[in-house]
Amino acid sequence: MSATRNDRSIAGDTIDANDYVAAIARLVEEIGGEQSALLPMLHALQEEFGYIDDRMVPAIASAFNLSRADVHGVVTFYHDFRRQPPARHRLRLCRAESCQARGAAAIERIASERLGLRMGETSADGRVTLDAVYCLGLCATGPNAMIDDVPVSRIDPATLDHLLGELTR
């Protein structure tokens, strides 16, 4: 389970402002500077750097002739945008009704206890972030999770232990 993003963006690292500004300029050339291109820009920046650095919001806003508040509002509204460097691995547990009916709350409790994390937190060593997701579209096979970009179905405590062992070594 490897991360798909650039390794320099792992928790604890910082982004060079010049690299970020250059990426914004390059992406404006590629996808355009219209306000409707803000979401594709944010997705591309997150893909390249691992997160949307709050220090770069003014540069993003300027590129789109938007206010910093407009850009900040979009980044904070959508849960998939990260404002901090991501962990090496992201464990997202489904909280949708179907998974809840199949025991997801118990799986979430176990994962939280074993990792020592609450939902939305990242381990101090930067290895794992524990997050919620609200439906992976695998309702018939719950409880489900997404590890990095890989869906995992029919999670029980033994499966969870195995997965957590893989993530934390």
Side-chain angles (χ1 to χ4, degrees):
M1 289 172 228
S2 64
T4 58
R5 62 194 166 272
N6 187 328
D7 282 340
R8 70 185 169 158
S9 65
I10 302 303
D13 292 347
T14 58
I15 294 173
D16 180 86
N18 292 327
D19 290 346
Y20 215 96
V21 170
I24 293 169
R26 177 179 41 77
L27 289 166
V28 164
E29 288 295 317
E30 290 175 15
I31 61 177
E34 297 82 29
Q35 292 178 359
S36 62
L38 178 61
L39 281 174
M41 166 72 79
L42 293 172
H43 283 290
L45 289 170
Q46 182 162 285
E47 179 67 25
E48 186 167 336
F49 295 100
Y51 68 107
I52 306 299
D53 192 322
D54 285 340
R55 298 171 303 150
M56 294 300 112
V57 167
I60 298 167
S62 177
F64 288 96
N65 197 30
L66 293 168
S67 72
R68 288 177 292 178
D70 289 333
V71 175
H72 176 79
V74 171
V75 171
T76 57
F77 178 78
Y78 292 103
H79 296 284
D80 278 341
F81 289 126
R82 291 179 298 273
R83 296 173 55 216
Q84 300 295 324
R88 289 202 181 278
H89 299 288
R90 185 176 185 197
L91 172 59
R92 294 187 292 170
L93 299 175
C94 184
R95 284 187 164 174
E97 292 81 4
S98 180
C99 284
Q100 291 298 316
R102 294 174 172 269
I107 297 299
E108 181 179 326
R109 182 181 41 74
I110 293 167
S112 182
E113 288 172 2
R114 299 233 168 95
L115 292 170
L117 301 172
R118 291 184 303 219
M119 283 295 183
E121 291 183 336
T122 298
S123 61
D125 63 6
R127 288 182 190 232
V128 181
T129 295
L130 181 61
D131 277 330
V133 64
Y134 296 91
C135 196
L136 294 168
L138 302 168
C139 301
T141 61
N144 301 301
M146 181 83 75
I147 299 175
D148 298 327
D149 293 323
V150 179
V152 181
S153 295
R154 295 183 175 94
I155 295 178
D156 58 24
T159 304
L160 182 64
D161 279 341
H162 173 75
L163 295 171
L164 294 178
E166 293 286 319
L167 295 177
T168 57
R169 60 173 140 136

